[in-house]
């Protein structure tokens, strides 16, 4: 509605890399997190809570992956901002 273009005027990033991303045009840049790793951490947490009730808890680190597609571009500060984008950003 404001005449902004993706990724020329703004970048969009999703999260979780759902299957619906394969149908979006332009392709959505996303952060992918392994569901298998989340499930494994959840299982170990529940198992430890049951088997070791005095345990203080656990911390699991799951490394995300950035999947770059067509909805991200260079930062606006590094290039000329179109007048319509500038108006939108200052409201």
């Amino acid at each position: 509605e404001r005449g902004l273009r993706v990724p020329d005027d703004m970048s969009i990033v999703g999260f979780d890399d759902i299957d619906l991303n394969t149908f979006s045009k332009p392709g959505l840049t996303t952060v992918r997190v392994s569901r298998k790793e989340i499930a494994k951490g959840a299982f170990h947490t529940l198992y430890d809570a049951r088997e070791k009730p005095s345990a203080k808890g656990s911390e699991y680190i799951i490394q995300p992956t950035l999947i770059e597609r067509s909805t991200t571009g260079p930062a606006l500060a590094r290039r000329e901002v179109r007048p319509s984008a500038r108006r939108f950003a200052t409201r």
Side-chain angles (χ1 to χ4, degrees), residues 44-45 47-60:
H44 286 295
T45 299
Y47 180 83
D48 288 347
R50 180 174 178 197
E51 298 299 315
K52 306 170 195 170
S54 63
K56 297 194 184 225
S58 301
E59 180 178 310
Y60 294 93

Side-chain angles (χ1 to χ4, degrees), residues 38-88:
I38 291 171
K40 189 176 5 175
F43 172 81
H44 286 295
T45 299
L46 291 171
Y47 180 83
D48 288 347
R50 180 174 178 197
E51 298 299 315
K52 306 170 195 170
S54 63
K56 297 194 184 225
S58 301
E59 180 178 310
Y60 294 93
I61 297 173
I62 300 171
Q63 187 65 44
T65 304
L66 179 64
I67 308 299
E68 293 186 66
R69 296 192 178 107
S70 302
T71 59
T72 53
L76 288 176
R78 295 178 187 251
R79 41 185 192 140
E80 180 64 29
V81 178
R82 292 183 334 142
S84 63
R86 192 174 5 268
R87 278 194 311 274
F88 179 73

